[in-house]
Amino acid sequence: MQRWLTVERRRQAAHVIARIYGIYADLRRWWPWYLRGLIFMLALDMLVPAAPRAPLGPPQTVETIKPHVCVHTRLIEEVEEWKIQRSLELTRALGAETIVEFFPWAYIETAEDRYDWTQADRIVSHARNQGIRIIARMGLVPAWARPDPAEALTTLNTLPPASYADFAAFVAEFAARYAGVIDHLIIWNEPNLAFEWGYQSVDPAGYVDLLRAVYDQVKVANPDAIILAGALAPTLEPPGSPHGLNDLIYLERMYQAGAADYFDALAVHTYGFTEPAAAESHPDLLNFRRAEQLYAVMQRFDDGDTPVYITETGWNDHPRWTMAVSPSQRIGHTIAAFRWAEVNWPWLEQMCLWVLRFPLPTLSYPDSFTLITTDFQLKPIYHAVQAYARGFPQTETLWLPPPAAASP
Amino acid sequence: MAAATRRRFALIAVALALVAALIWLAVDPSRRESAPLFRHGALRIGVDASYPPFAFLADDQLHGLDVDLGRALADELDIPAQFVLLGFDGLYDGLQTDQVDVLISALRIDPGRQVHYSLPYFDAGLALVSAAGRDFTTMAALSGHALAFEFGSEAHSEANRWLRRIQPFETRPYELPAYALDAVRLGHADAALVDAVSARLYLRDQPDWGAQMSVVRPVPLAIATRIDRLDRALAVNEALAALIEDGTVAALIDRWL
């Protein structure tokens, strides 16, 4: 065995030496061509346009006459920094002083106590540069804080009670890092939907436990922090439904579980769906004025002085979705909604449209909630909201009348 | 055989065994257990029922192209179909958490998703519609002509992109896709750019109008299965291929569109 190895090793060594010599001989013979090839490749590389850079310019301010106009952005998944900057420039040009942006726990604390703030810092610095205030939405659970996948199939929304303290610690870290810059924090998203609660049964009391875990820690980290709770999905799902729970019932149960002591403002999601902005609200109806139904619940629990932030609202103009309207109706309803809120809802702080733009299209009807396409085309709805927020006249006719003898 | 050669074979055999063991360990346990294809005894189909004519609720019953396709697929696989209603946002999470075996919900193939997609069963892309015999089947043919579309729609955005790429053409935005198609039929525009579903539904209601339709930006729709169930993906794909081959899929499309 010893002898065989020795012979084999000798053979291998001789083979390696021969290969090295072969490369050396090749280089001696062909080096002028290798050099030319290298120069050619470098020249080609110089022809490729460099990725646009995104240096911070002079600090900007938002010009608006409607400070309640706000828009939800999706910047956290944006790979290229210039697109973050461009999105925020367009937000400023829209006349929106405030954005809601998602800061997923799973993206930042990828391992326990190991934080990567790169993308969050980038968003914050560009937003500040444009004079835009951020409301941060917190959620999504990193793998290390979820149940063992061998025991249960989980999603990024699966937050076991055993991990509430870890989530609270993360939110407190976030609050401390951005104190004075981001003081508004939404705790979780639509916990009244089963899939947003990790496909577990929705649990208002469990959500209040989460608020309780977060509240005091965050106040220590940033005494000026405003904790926004709720962000409930508008839905009529009855108790016991596997899909979720009616937002009005869920909010009532939150109060019954003692939620009032653990939030400073209510985040509200209210969509117009197929109805105009001024359509009457009713507990059995989903429309824009459902926000009034939620506020009525707050009043019933003697919490009417707590401010309300609409952190998601809007209409969809997809041609197929049953809950959509036409693009022209969408514009009319959206502007009417801003006016309605301005005149009738003194308890409202902000009204944030879902959604400015997606970094990647969803390839289905959610794309028809955007104000700007993925390739930065401004949709007519963008111009309409801008005209409202900045007081621009909009007298131009946007579409043609139906052709003669048109189909209804 | 010499002892050295025997030893060499033995070493190779041990190395191969090690590689095989590593591969076996690397494979997900659920796949090692040779789990049954559809262990719930039915084809559990996730569907968003807010999207006619693909899936919608009427009189508490599910209807639509995707629903009929799901039933046909289950028949082909020789198991019962069981529909699970999910919202669009929850479709892929529902698949990932094993609440459904497949998603049939007018899903466009999205390379960013960690799932297996089947063969496409329908193209829901943007289509140019013009009078039969006119040469408006591509973007380039529009220069100097009039294009109708729905104001603010995906077609509107696409027309704006085209304006940057070809010689100018007149744009005629209307409030609804049907108005854009009316404009072509009544001679107010040379072509309309609308989604293929709107175009097919309109043309079905206008059987006397000799029109042509050409998809210019394809959007294939497909069935999704879990990434860790290749066996299931292959079975679904094979069944769908059979349904395409025997004309079932085409008949269902004609029925709904």
Side-chain angles (χ1 to χ4, degrees):
Chain A
M1 182 74 174
Q2 188 63 36
R3 230 175 84 188
W4 173 74
L5 282 175
T6 309
V7 171
E8 192 60 26
R9 275 187 182 166
R10 277 183 192 159
R11 262 193 214 143
Q12 284 173 353
H15 183 69
V16 169
I17 289 166
R19 290 279 301 160
I20 292 170
Y21 182 77
I23 293 168
Y24 168 72
D26 271 359
L27 274 175
R28 276 197 64 177
R29 186 172 174 197
W30 299 108
W31 72 266
W33 286 104
Y34 285 132
L35 189 61
R36 284 172 195 147
L38 186 65
I39 292 168
F40 179 68
M41 296 295 286
L42 285 173
L44 267 186
D45 189 53
M46 288 169 74
L47 290 176
V48 175
R53 297 180 60 194
L56 295 177
Q60 305 289 323
T61 50
V62 177
E63 290 176 13
T64 185
I65 58 168
K66 305 291 183 190
H68 66 301
V69 172
C70 161
V71 67
H72 202 308
T73 48
R74 285 304 290 257
L75 305 171
I76 197 76
E77 290 110 350
E78 195 60 81
V79 177
E80 294 164 277
E81 188 174 357
W82 73 268
K83 292 183 179 173
I84 295 173
Q85 187 179 48
R86 183 80 186 121
S87 298
L88 290 166
E89 285 169 353
L90 290 169
T91 303
R92 174 170 58 80
L94 182 72
E97 284 181 322
T98 309
I99 58 168
V100 176
E101 176 57 42
F102 192 20
F103 293 94
W105 180 24
Y107 294 7
I108 295 172
E109 193 178 358
T110 48
E112 194 167 3
D113 295 329
R114 271 223 325 261
Y115 300 91
D116 179 356
W117 299 103
T118 313
Q119 185 76 339
D121 285 351
R122 197 174 276 159
I123 292 166
V124 169
S125 65
H126 280 291
R128 290 186 78 183
N129 188 239
Q130 297 298 327
I132 292 167
R133 190 172 62 128
I134 299 176
I135 299 172
R137 174 184 141 194
M138 318 303 294
L140 289 197
V141 188
W144 63 265
R146 297 207 301 267
D148 183 346
E151 290 168 15
L153 292 168
T154 62
T155 74
L156 281 163
N157 289 317
T158 309
L159 179 65
S163 294
Y164 285 4
D166 291 322
F167 178 67
F170 164 71
V171 180
E173 280 283 335
F174 184 95
R177 183 177 183 85
Y178 298 116
V181 179
I182 301 178
D183 290 333
H184 293 72
L185 305 161
I186 306 169
I187 306 305
W188 215 256
N189 183 60
E190 301 186 341
N192 63 322
L193 292 184
F195 96 88
E196 294 280 9
W197 201 238
Y199 273 120
Q200 308 162 97
S201 296
V202 298
D203 177 11
Y207 176 62
V208 174
D209 288 342
L210 179 63
L211 288 175
R212 192 179 289 119
V214 168
Y215 193 83
D216 289 339
Q217 277 208 56
V218 170
K219 291 289 181 178
V220 170
N222 174 10
D224 295 329
I226 307 288
I227 298 292
L228 284 85
L232 304 175
T235 174
L236 301 176
E237 290 296 327
S241 161
H243 304 300
L245 178 62
N246 183 309
D247 46 344
L248 303 180
I249 300 172
Y250 193 100
L251 184 59
E252 279 175 4
R253 292 189 182 175
M254 277 175 58
Y255 276 114
Q256 286 159 359
D261 293 336
Y262 303 107
F263 70 94
D264 307 308
L266 188 74
V268 165
H269 292 182
T270 183
Y271 285 90
F273 299 113
T274 56
E275 299 208 6
E280 286 285 332
S281 76
H282 185 275
D284 296 334
L285 264 181
L286 298 181
N287 61 22
F288 174 68
R289 286 175 61 192
R290 189 160 183 85
E292 292 172 9
Q293 298 292 330
L294 288 161
Y295 185 66
V297 173
M298 296 174 75
Q299 287 178 309
R300 276 208 300 281
F301 284 89
D302 201 21
D303 203 23
D305 291 337
T306 294
V308 175
Y309 290 70
I310 293 181
T311 51
E312 282 188 24
T313 189
W315 276 259
N316 182 292
D317 58 14
H318 192 276
R320 298 268 79 76
W321 192 37
T322 49
M323 306 302 275
V325 293
S326 72
S328 57
Q329 286 174 318
R330 181 186 174 201
I331 288 175
H333 296 347
T334 303
I335 302 306
F338 275 119
R339 291 195 175 120
W340 181 273
E342 190 181 352
V343 171
N344 298 295
W345 294 348
W347 34 266
L348 184 70
E349 295 285 329
Q350 295 282 319
M351 185 171 140
C352 308
L353 286 179
W354 175 262
V355 53
L356 183 76
R357 172 184 168 271
F358 287 131
L360 284 171
T362 66
L363 304 177
S364 190
Y365 63 81
D367 294 334
S368 298
F369 277 115
T370 60
L371 306 185
I372 301 173
T373 63
T374 296
D375 63 353
F376 286 105
Q377 272 201 54
L378 306 182
K379 295 184 179 180
I381 179 85
Y382 175 93
H383 294 294
V385 174
Q386 182 186 48
Y388 168 76
R390 300 186 62 181
F392 295 164
Q394 194 167 49
T395 51
E396 180 191 353
T397 306
L398 296 173
W399 56 84
L400 299 167
S407 302
Chain B
M1 192 184 290
T5 312
R6 276 205 304 276
R7 275 194 291 270
R8 201 179 298 173
F9 275 125
L11 276 172
I12 291 168
V14 169
L16 284 175
L18 270 172
V19 170
L22 283 173
I23 291 171
W24 189 79
L25 285 171
V27 172
D28 187 78
S30 64
R31 287 164 66 182
R32 255 188 273 139
E33 286 163 7
S34 65
L37 263 183
F38 302 102
R39 65 189 170 88
H40 294 268
L43 179 65
R44 295 172 308 156
I45 302 166
V47 65
D48 170 10
S50 66
Y51 206 68
F54 293 92
F56 58 98
L57 284 165
D59 305 325
D60 284 338
Q61 296 289 314
L62 261 177
H63 303 276
L65 171 59
D66 285 342
V67 177
D68 285 353
L69 178 61
R71 289 189 181 118
L73 195 71
D75 280 351
E76 186 69 23
L77 291 163
D78 203 21
I79 47 173
Q82 181 189 324
F83 290 93
V84 178
L85 300 184
L86 299 166
F88 179 83
D89 289 346
L91 282 172
Y92 286 99
D93 276 1
L95 185 67
Q96 189 184 326
T97 51
D98 197 35
Q99 296 183 52
V100 295
D101 301 314
V102 296
L103 300 175
I104 309 180
S105 202
L107 296 177
R108 298 191 193 184
I109 293 171
D110 181 353
R113 299 280 185 183
Q114 293 287 305
V115 295
H116 289 295
Y117 285 107
S118 69
L119 297 163
Y121 62 87
F122 181 70
D123 189 341
L126 287 178
L128 271 176
V129 179
S130 60
R134 306 290 304 274
D135 183 27
F136 296 114
T137 54
T138 62
M139 169 183 75
L142 285 169
S143 293
H145 296 281
L147 178 70
F149 46 78
E150 184 191 14
F151 164 81
S153 66
E154 208 174 332
H156 190 163
S157 299
E158 188 69 5
N160 287 340
R161 287 182 202 110
W162 289 3
L163 280 169
R164 294 198 295 266
R165 295 175 60 190
I166 61 172
Q167 291 295 314
F169 55 86
E170 185 191 343
T171 54
R172 297 187 68 79
Y174 290 95
E175 258 193 289
L176 299 171
Y179 292 166
L181 290 157
D182 281 339
V184 181
R185 187 171 56 84
L186 299 170
H188 298 277
D190 296 299
L193 185 64
V194 293
D195 66 281
V197 177
S198 295
R200 288 182 71 112
L201 291 172
Y202 181 90
L203 295 176
R204 197 172 67 170
D205 292 342
Q206 300 286 346
D208 298 333
W209 182 33
Q212 61 186 4
M213 179 179 129
S214 171
V215 174
V216 286
R217 211 188 69 192
V219 174
L221 306 184
I223 300 169
T225 47
R226 262 169 55 180
I227 192 76
D228 60 347
R229 291 304 305 263
L230 181 62
D231 53 347
R232 196 176 284 165
L234 292 171
V236 165
N237 217 32
E238 195 178 321
L240 179 62
L243 294 174
I244 292 171
E245 180 73 25
D246 69 11
T248 304
V249 171
L252 292 178
I253 291 169
D254 284 344
R255 180 179 170 202
W256 287 103
L257 293 165

